[in-house]
Amino acid sequence: MKEINKIILEQIEDYNDFLETKMDTSAGNDTILFGRGGVIDSVDFVTLLLDIEQAVNDEYGTHIAISNSRAMSQKNSPFRTVGTLAEYIKNLLEE
Amino acid sequence: MIILITGTRKGIGKAIAEHFLAHGDTVIGCSRTLPDWAENFSNYEHFTLDVSDEEKVLKMFGKIRKNYGGLDALINNAGIASMNHSLLTPIETVKNIFSTNTIGTFLFCREAAKIMRKKKFGRIVNFVTFAVPFKLEGEASYAASKAAIVSLTETLAREYADFGITVNAVAPPAIQTDLIRGVPEEKMNRLLQRQAIHRFGTFEDVINAIEFFLRKESDFVTGQVLYLGGV
Ligand SMILES: NC(=O)c1ccc[n+]([C@@H]2O[C@H](COP(=O)([O-])OP(=O)(O)OC[C@H]3O[C@@H](n4cnc5c(N)ncnc54)[C@H](OP(=O)(O)O)[C@@H]3O)[C@@H](O)[C@H]2O)c1
């Protein structure tokens, strides 16, 4: 099965088609998703997260919801970079 | 249209489902027990679940996304009431009412919007009640759970507007279903007198309001609660 960070990067590339200021994914896992240094606004971010959630569920045949209460209460947001999000999703899948 | 309706086993939900089925729409329904009429239509699919059971609901939406490829409308009709003085109402009852009415509505809005946003089109209709503006004694928790739906409707309308999804609510006056069977006739008559039009609501009254919200042309109508009967 496809690696989680690969799925995330693919979804960003797809989403870039709709964005005026494109997200630069050349930093790979260190690509900033959201927050300081990021280029997308919160609505685009929500949309991208949902695309990623769906792509992961399709690939792994699961029904995870990425934005659960743990994500919202973690001190270091898992939504900061591609790497942190991939790590976070892996943990969700293992539960 | 592909329409998801909650609480289709009986009452208003059943009437709405049958209306859209007869009209040739594809209807997906759910309730805790299987309706005895589900087999009568080839364009109907039923999911037996509790609307507040997140795991089952997520699975259902996964299937809808795969098998139907989209969703045009969601009608959040499933609801329960309990008529009792607050001093005599167990907390378990309050929890049940909020689970079905408020949490169920929230969960279905959230999951439906995830699918609808793909096509930049969606129609969500929630269910409120005359018990909210009438501030009916004996229905404190029911009315509170529905007042929360007014608030959800108004806020989600703003959150989902960017995705081309409208969120509105219909608020029927008393309609003769099992839900209000326990209310004494004399009290019912007094309630009808408080409406501008002194009669019970009908299924057709509710369907008419829903059809208005679902129309393509209603894309500028969102965050509204439509009270029927002049409440
Ligand atoms: N009748 C009125 O006077 C009136 C007035 C204003 C507003 N409303 C609203 O209209 C809606 C429909 O009411 P109604 O009069 O048609 O009530 P009803 O005849 O009691 O029907 C309720 C429906 O909801 C389903 N349901 C209840 N709890 C559920 C749950 N936790 N999960 C899934 N399905 C559930 C029931 O099926 P199962 O039992 O099989 O689950 C049934 O199909 C409600 O939201 C109600 O608040 C009614």
Side-chain angles (χ1 to χ4, degrees):
Chain A
M1 262 177 282
K2 235 183 259 170
E3 300 264 355
I4 304 287
N5 51 354
K6 208 138 178 214
I7 295 178
I8 298 174
L9 288 166
E10 273 175 14
Q11 291 303 318
I12 296 177
E13 290 307 336
D14 281 357
Y15 201 69
N16 265 339
D17 292 345
F18 300 100
L19 291 174
E20 265 171 46
T21 315
K22 315 252 177 249
M23 294 173 74
D24 177 3
T25 54
S26 57
N29 275 349
D30 293 330
T31 301
I32 292 176
L33 288 172
F34 192 59
R36 201 155 35 87
V39 296
I40 55 176
D41 65 22
S42 56
V43 172
D44 279 325
F45 178 62
V46 168
T47 310
L48 174 62
L49 258 193
L50 293 176
D51 286 343
I52 294 168
E53 177 181 298
Q54 239 163 53
V56 170
N57 281 331
D58 283 347
E59 179 74 18
Y60 288 79
T62 49
H63 303 282
I64 59 158
I66 288 186
S67 48
N68 73 14
S69 51
R70 223 159 18 87
M72 302 311 171
S73 60
Q74 274 180 19
K75 210 161 107 230
N76 296 314
S77 164
F79 301 147
R80 181 86 185 121
T81 66
V82 169
T84 58
L85 179 62
E87 205 47 46
Y88 172 72
I89 293 176
K90 266 184 223 155
N91 286 333
L92 281 183
L93 288 174
E94 276 162 18
E95 267 172 22
Chain B
M1 272 191 153
I2 301 170
I3 306 173
L4 170 61
I5 306 169
T6 65
T8 46
R9 181 171 64 86
K10 59 175 181 155
I12 301 171
K14 177 185 176 203
I16 302 168
E18 285 177 338
H19 168 82
F20 286 110
L21 285 166
H23 195 258
D25 293 298
T26 299
V27 176
I28 303 149
C30 63
S31 56
R32 292 163 302 179
T33 28
L34 188 71
D36 54 14
W37 56 267
E39 312 250 286
N40 303 351
F41 299 91
S42 58
N43 45 342
Y44 181 79
E45 180 174 11
H46 193 85
F47 289 86
T48 303
L49 51 76
D50 187 310
V51 289
S52 65
D53 183 339
E54 183 173 18
E55 203 182 314
K56 286 214 178 112
V57 172
L58 290 188
K59 275 199 183 131
M60 180 193 72
F61 274 99
K63 281 191 187 150
I64 292 176
R65 197 160 56 77
K66 281 217 180 79
N67 300 346
Y68 296 89
L71 182 65
D72 300 307
L74 163 67
I75 297 166
N76 271 318
N77 157 84
I80 53 172
S82 158
M83 316 216 173
N84 218 341
H85 196 287
S86 69
L87 293 176
L88 300 174
T89 305
I91 287 304
E92 209 44 45
T93 306
V94 181
K95 283 186 180 160
N96 282 340
I97 291 178
F98 272 82
S99 286
T100 297
N101 299 359
T102 315
I103 296 176
T105 295
F106 181 91
L107 179 58
F108 272 70
C109 286
R110 189 186 77 190
E111 293 306 313
K114 286 183 187 174
I115 299 185
M116 290 168 172
R117 77 195 165 90
K118 289 271 179 190
K119 291 194 184 152
K120 285 247 166 216
F121 176 89
R123 298 280 181 265
I124 296 177
V125 182
N126 294 328
F127 268 70
V128 174
T129 165
F130 69 106
V132 174
F134 276 10
K135 301 164 178 61
L136 288 187
E137 305 96 320
E139 298 192 17
S141 47
Y142 174 63
S145 75
K146 291 288 187 176
I149 295 178
V150 174
S151 172
L152 274 181
T153 302
E154 292 169 349
T155 308
L156 297 186
R158 288 166 179 267
E159 289 194 1
Y160 298 168
D162 283 324
F163 305 124
I165 302 168
T166 65
V167 188
N168 293 288
V170 58
I175 296 179
Q176 285 168 304
T177 67
D178 290 345
L179 194 88
I180 61 162
R181 190 176 273 169
V183 184
E185 192 180 323
E186 185 254 343
K187 184 179 176 191
M188 212 61 257
N189 285 333
R190 258 188 293 131
L191 290 178
L192 294 183
Q193 288 316 309
R194 288 174 68 181
Q195 294 164 202
I197 303 167
H198 311 300
R199 67 161 169 85
F200 281 103
T202 63
F203 296 151
E204 290 72 28
D205 295 326
V206 176
I207 289 167
N208 181 45
I210 291 176
E211 289 220 298
F212 167 69
F213 287 136
L214 260 47
R215 280 164 54 179
K216 186 164 85 331
E217 295 79 6
S218 297
D219 60 345
F220 205 45
V221 180
T222 195
Q224 304 303 307
V225 181
L226 182 50
Y227 292 95
L228 298 175
V231 164

